[in-house]
Amino acid sequence: GLFRHIQHGTRAAGIQAANFAIRNGDSAIRVDCVWKSEQVLDITDQMVLYHLCQLAATPGEHRRVVDKKRDPEEYAVALSGIKNQCVNAAKSIPHSLEDSVTPSALVTVFVTIPALARGIGMTATGPNTQVVTHSLRRLAKVTCEVTLYHPGVRGGPLGTFSYCLLSAIRLEEGPILAQVTLNPELSAGCVSRSGVNWINMREQRLLQSKPARRLHAWLSAWAFSGEVRKIKLETLLPHVWGTEECTASAKKSRIRTLKEAVQAIAGLPGWVCLLNDADRMVRVRKPRFVGSPDEDVVESRAKLSQASRPKLSH
């Protein structure tokens, strides 16, 4: 994954993650995505992105949905803010094809930095607002290279284009305000609210350790609400710390931390998350959750509605 629990002082190395999706129904196009970051992204970065998505998926004064057909000029400005301009032009695809896989709308979120800090469970103090600001800057530098294929058809790719995970603009007027446009994939999920895995941010804030928050996020996507699933304890390790090799002592320490994370998630209302020491299997069932407004989203909306929102810029 793109996010992982890291130790202090180990952020320098870059990371990448890959996934794919199928777009356009009958005239299917396979969209392969490779996400790249110059720095390791940690659990705080994960929390910031999740809360931005929560804001983007919740209607209110804190967000603007720009429709491609209704507001073509404004849409073009929003899209240009997240396009990665460092792509080799020889690899770029025709505008008509790129347009076919670009969502019908992009979402821009307006949130104060202190409100964003509170949304991820921090007090809105000076040092914490700096942590959030630095996290936004890291996230804005993450790029995704998208390669398009016709599934099942032999031959090379249809083409490649690239965009950033998000655009983040810090505005100095009044309270420190972040203006963030989400990338096409995130925008599509936040507008349709379908085909997504829901992460309960209240549960994230209830968990005190970063490994537990990372494990909770992964289990929220993997687990079922209607039945118990089983997974080996050791299999969960790379989903929290990544796939890099570690020493035997470090692995032992991680196993111990992982067991504590399992216990912490088991303490959340409605969750089943139990480790059987005999077979070292973790049995998991998540509570049913389809997404809901959050008190911090409502608070952010109330504060932002008292001030005029700035125009989109890039």
Side-chain angles (χ1 to χ4, degrees):
L2 200 56
F3 304 96
R4 64 195 60 178
H5 176 59
I6 61 173
Q7 301 299 324
H8 179 70
T10 60
R11 192 187 289 277
I15 57 173
Q16 72 176 41
N19 58 15
F20 74 93
I22 303 296
R23 294 283 182 265
N24 289 8
D26 294 335
S27 57
I29 293 176
R30 177 183 168 116
V31 183
D32 282 13
C33 299
V34 179
W35 300 94
K36 296 181 180 180
S37 174
E38 295 178 356
Q39 292 183 307
V40 173
L41 302 176
D42 65 8
I43 310 308
T44 298
D45 300 325
Q46 173 184 274
M47 291 277 286
V48 169
L49 181 62
Y50 286 172
H51 189 56
L52 287 171
C53 290
Q54 180 186 25
L55 291 167
T58 307
E61 292 293 325
H62 60 276
R63 78 167 187 171
R64 177 183 294 146
V65 179
V66 183
D67 187 85
K68 186 190 325 186
K69 294 182 178 179
R70 188 172 62 246
D71 307 298
E73 293 184 2
E74 194 172 2
Y75 182 92
V77 171
L79 187 61
S80 68
I82 57 175
K83 275 190 174 181
N84 179 19
Q85 303 301 329
C86 299
V87 184
N88 186 338
K91 299 170 65 179
S92 61
I93 64 175
H95 288 294
S96 58
L97 184 56
E98 181 178 347
D99 186 70
S100 70
V101 294
T102 302
S104 60
L106 291 172
V107 182
T108 297
V109 171
F110 304 90
V111 59
T112 65
I113 298 297
L116 191 51
R118 288 191 293 271
I120 66 171
M122 292 181 171
T123 57
T125 60
N128 287 342
T129 57
Q130 285 297 312
V131 167
V132 171
T133 300
H134 292 323
S135 181
L136 277 177
R137 289 173 178 167
R138 281 191 296 273
L139 292 170
K141 292 180 180 179
V142 177
T143 60
C144 180
E145 186 170 283
V146 180
T147 305
L148 306 180
Y149 300 88
H150 279 309
V153 178
R154 291 185 177 182
L158 299 172
T160 300
F161 65 98
S162 183
Y163 55 76
C164 299
L165 179 64
L166 53 84
S167 70
I169 304 171
R170 180 176 171 180
L171 306 174
E172 298 297 341
E173 301 171 2
I176 302 174
L177 188 67
Q179 174 185 334
V180 179
T181 300
L182 301 184
N183 73 64
E185 298 295 323
L186 291 177
S187 290
C190 290
V191 172
S192 68
R193 295 169 63 90
S194 62
V196 299
N197 292 308
W198 294 98
I199 306 295
N200 189 320
M201 291 300 292
R202 288 191 182 94
E203 293 178 348
Q204 282 274 304
R205 291 192 295 268
L206 285 172
L207 297 169
Q208 298 302 307
S209 78
K210 292 183 177 181
R213 287 174 172 175
R214 177 59 195 157
L215 180 62
H216 170 268
W218 189 84
L219 290 177
S220 294
W222 176 83
F224 295 154
S225 58
E227 64 180 82
V228 174
R229 297 188 74 182
K230 297 189 297 183
I231 188 170
K232 279 190 171 295
L233 183 69
E234 285 77 6
T235 303
L236 293 173
L237 285 172
H239 298 298
V240 178
W241 285 277
T243 57
E244 289 81 3
E245 294 291 332
C246 66
T247 65
S249 61
K251 182 177 180 180
K252 184 177 180 180
S253 176
R254 290 177 180 183
I255 289 287
R256 182 170 58 252
T257 300
L258 193 59
K259 290 181 178 180
E260 294 171 353
V262 168
Q263 292 177 343
I265 295 171
L268 295 174
W271 275 84
V272 172
C273 194
L274 302 173
L275 170 64
N276 186 321
D277 286 323
D279 59 8
R280 296 185 70 79
M281 299 290 289
V282 181
R283 289 159 173 80
V284 184
R285 186 185 68 214
K286 66 180 180 180
R288 188 176 300 278
F289 178 66
V290 295
S292 60
D294 183 277
E295 65 272 12
D296 292 297
V297 174
V298 175
E299 180 184 1
S300 298
R301 181 173 68 235
K303 290 184 177 180
L304 289 173
S305 64
Q306 300 174 10
S308 60
R309 294 172 300 174
K311 290 291 185 181
L312 284 172
S313 58
H314 69 283

